[in-house]
Amino acid sequence: MSNQPLFYIIIGILSIQFFTETILDYLNAKNYHKPVPEELNDVFDTEEYLKSQDYKKTNYRFALTTSTFSFTLTLLFLIFGGFGWVDQIARSYTDNNIVIALIFFGIIMIGSDIITTPFSYYSTFVIEEKFGFNKSTTKLFFMDKLKGWLMTTILGGIILTLIIWFFNWANSNFWIYTWAVIAVVSLLINLFYSKLIVPLFNKQTPLSDGTLKNKIESYAQKVGFELKNIFVIDGSKRSTKANAYFSGFGKEKRVTLYDTLINDLEEDEIVAVLAHEVGHYKRKHIIFNLISSILLTGFTLFILSLFINTPEVSLAIGVSKPSFHAALISFGILYSPISEFTGLIMNYISRKFEYQADDYAKNTFAAMPLITSLKKLSKNSLSNLTPHPAYVFMHYSHPPLIARIKNLKA
Ligand SMILES: [Zn+2]
């Protein structure tokens, strides 16, 4: 256990976060029993609504168990010098500070992933299964995990190596070079997400000719939106939940529709969902999000550069020697109240954007099919019709269903 004052601040931050989250979840769970607003009476019938409440309560209890478990584990790990122990292991192999950091993060990432795997397995194959959402198989689940690890190891390994290499070379100016690399990588990922990353996990096929494609194309033409790439993704191989999203920009931009969306919605409703996505694009939300996330990364790296050479920051997590990787972990926790705050602002802006995209769909297409599609999507995912306002304020990137419908009807 570290005797640094910062150690107690770290414990304090983790505890406050855990207790606020627990209180928020509790408030939200208490609201499950509130009467459903009149506009939403037709979303579920009585039996379905009871099922949806059962689903939410099950998830609430499950989330409470997992968060309590991981909070306790993190505290014990800190108190009993877990990071110092992993640091020792990494140092026993080499003196190279890049390789030490790679081993250190490798053990921590893979270790924590193995510990949390039973929880995600339970969530997929017990909870989602019980409520009829799960379509995944054990084989698919573990293949996804393996691919995810491989991707994190390669991408994370390269970025970590570069950051420490920049640090060895430019000291606290490392943040400028790191920022440039991260900005370029996130731009590339954004551009080629559908071409490079999605194929690792899903199959995508161009939307076949027919009335739906015609309707989408004539809508796109009407609003002057060049749309060559409409793809259908086999989301149904994992879950019955439906979705649609936009990725890339310029010539690379494309719309991806889940096959589940096509099965569940009428054609007009799909066009309405698409009109909402086009709204995000036309109102420059996608560019805004990309630029603000790059600026936020720069800000975070700059603050990191101010503290990276302070030995107390490293020593706070109980390692015996100050190092870049130890300071990074410690900084991650110390900075989290600030990232929590910027996250709140981003959520607030995102909710505003959702209204703007809804308005765009209403003005260029129609409100009614968007309302009915939102209701169907909420029903299909058994989503919460009566969330607590404090919970919405803290966690929702989208306004609650009732607020969106009121706005669309206004
Ligand atoms: Zn949206």
Side-chain angles (χ1 to χ4, degrees):
M1 184 164 144
S2 170
N3 56 4
Q4 297 282 335
L6 274 181
F7 169 78
Y8 298 98
I9 295 179
I10 284 179
I11 300 280
I13 288 175
L14 291 173
S15 309
I16 291 171
Q17 273 167 352
F18 173 71
F19 288 113
T20 15
E21 284 310 311
T22 308
I23 292 168
L24 271 180
D25 287 347
Y26 169 75
L27 287 176
N28 204 38
K30 253 179 56 179
N31 254 24
Y32 295 156
H33 299 283
K34 272 195 131 184
V36 176
E38 216 186 283
E39 285 94 335
L40 304 184
N41 268 337
D42 56 345
V43 176
F44 296 106
D45 64 33
T46 314
E47 193 189 325
E48 287 164 343
Y49 195 61
L50 288 175
K51 181 183 163 197
S52 104
Q53 286 186 312
D54 188 18
Y55 178 62
K56 285 175 288 180
K57 277 184 240 162
T58 308
N59 270 326
Y60 167 62
R61 282 190 299 263
F62 179 68
L64 190 63
T65 316
T66 32
S67 64
T68 309
F69 175 81
S70 62
F71 172 66
T72 315
L73 202 70
T74 312
L75 277 197
L76 290 175
F77 198 71
L78 271 164
I79 290 169
F80 289 103
F83 288 109
W85 176 63
V86 176
D87 190 55
Q88 288 292 319
I89 296 176
R91 284 180 190 283
S92 69
Y93 290 100
T94 171
D95 288 329
N96 182 307
N97 69 343
I98 294 180
V99 184
I100 294 174
L102 288 173
I103 300 175
F104 179 83
F105 278 110
I107 294 177
I108 287 176
M109 295 289 176
I110 295 189
S112 67
D113 203 80
I114 289 175
I115 292 171
T116 52
T117 294
F119 291 99
S120 57
Y121 188 91
Y122 183 87
S123 162
T124 308
F125 294 103
V126 179
I127 299 179
E128 298 287 296
E129 181 78 40
K130 178 182 165 197
F131 291 94
F133 292 126
N134 179 44
K135 288 278 172 282
S136 187
T137 58
T138 311
K139 188 183 161 205
L140 186 63
F141 178 86
F142 284 107
M143 281 307 282
D144 281 356
K145 249 203 168 354
L146 222 68
K147 288 179 197 167
W149 276 9
L150 216 70
M151 226 171 62
T152 322
T153 311
I154 295 173
L155 215 68
I158 292 174
I159 291 181
L160 188 66
T161 305
L162 270 174
I163 297 179
I164 302 183
W165 188 77
F166 287 142
F167 178 68
N168 290 344
W169 169 62
N171 205 301
S172 54
N173 279 336
F174 79 95
W175 76 274
I176 303 170
Y177 306 100
T178 305
W179 188 24
V181 168
I182 294 182
V184 170
V185 169
S186 56
L187 234 104
L188 288 178
I189 288 186
N190 203 288
L191 259 179
F192 299 110
Y193 176 74
S194 299
K195 271 192 185 155
L196 294 180
I197 297 180
V198 178
L200 297 175
F201 299 94
N202 283 88
K203 208 180 272 159
Q204 303 173 101
T205 37
L207 178 63
S208 48
D209 291 332
T211 48
L212 176 60
K213 196 176 176 187
N214 293 341
K215 280 184 187 169
I216 292 175
E217 281 173 348
S218 75
Y219 170 76
Q221 204 166 24
K222 183 184 136 196
V223 294
F225 185 78
E226 202 188 327
L227 186 57
K228 294 263 178 318
N229 308 311
I230 311 167
F231 282 85
V232 181
I233 194 172
D234 57 345
S236 60
K237 90 176 191 197
R238 292 193 182 77
S239 168
T240 58
K241 290 177 180 173
N243 201 358
Y245 64 87
F246 218 97
S247 59
F249 38 83
K251 268 181 121 180
E252 288 295 331
K253 69 177 185 281
R254 66 159 90 185
V255 165
T256 306
L257 306 169
Y258 276 53
D259 53 355
T260 39
L261 190 84
I262 294 183
N263 290 333
D264 294 345
L265 301 187
E266 304 292 330
E267 289 184 348
D268 269 354
E269 292 171 337
I270 298 174
V271 180
V273 169
L274 216 95
H276 169 98
E277 297 301 327
V278 172
H280 278 308
Y281 193 87
K282 287 267 183 180
R283 303 294 303 263
K284 310 252 188 302
H285 299 160
I286 298 179
I287 292 289
F288 176 90
N289 287 339
L290 193 64
I291 291 177
S292 49
S293 98
I294 289 176
L295 288 180
L296 268 175
T297 307
F299 176 71
T300 310
L301 284 168
F302 171 69
I303 307 281
L304 170 65
S305 76
L306 301 179
F307 293 99
I308 197 73
N309 285 315
T310 313
E312 287 81 6
V313 174
S314 294
L315 300 177
I317 58 164
V319 294
S320 50
K321 255 192 201 167
S323 64
F324 188 92
H325 59 266
L328 202 58
I329 296 254
S330 182
F331 176 79
I333 303 170
L334 292 168
Y335 185 75
S336 59
I338 299 176
S339 57
E340 206 62 65
F341 178 70
T342 51
L344 265 182
I345 296 174
M346 291 309 283
N347 267 345
Y348 177 80
I349 295 173
S350 166
R351 291 194 300 267
K352 289 268 168 262
F353 283 175
E354 289 308 316
Y355 287 126
Q356 291 180 4
D358 280 350
D359 287 342
Y360 185 88
K362 175 166 78 172
N363 297 330
T364 61
F365 190 64
M368 222 39 220
L370 189 55
I371 293 177
T372 51
S373 70
L374 288 174
K375 284 182 176 176
K376 278 188 187 172
L377 292 173
S378 297
K379 174 187 166 149
N380 286 7
S381 56
L382 298 182
S383 72
N384 188 359
L385 301 185
T386 56
H388 192 279
Y391 192 91
V392 172
F393 179 74
M394 296 287 282
H395 290 304
Y396 272 39
S397 62
H398 287 55
L401 181 64
I402 181 67
R404 290 180 74 177
I405 289 181
K406 278 186 175 158
N407 172 61
L408 281 165
K409 282 185 174 167

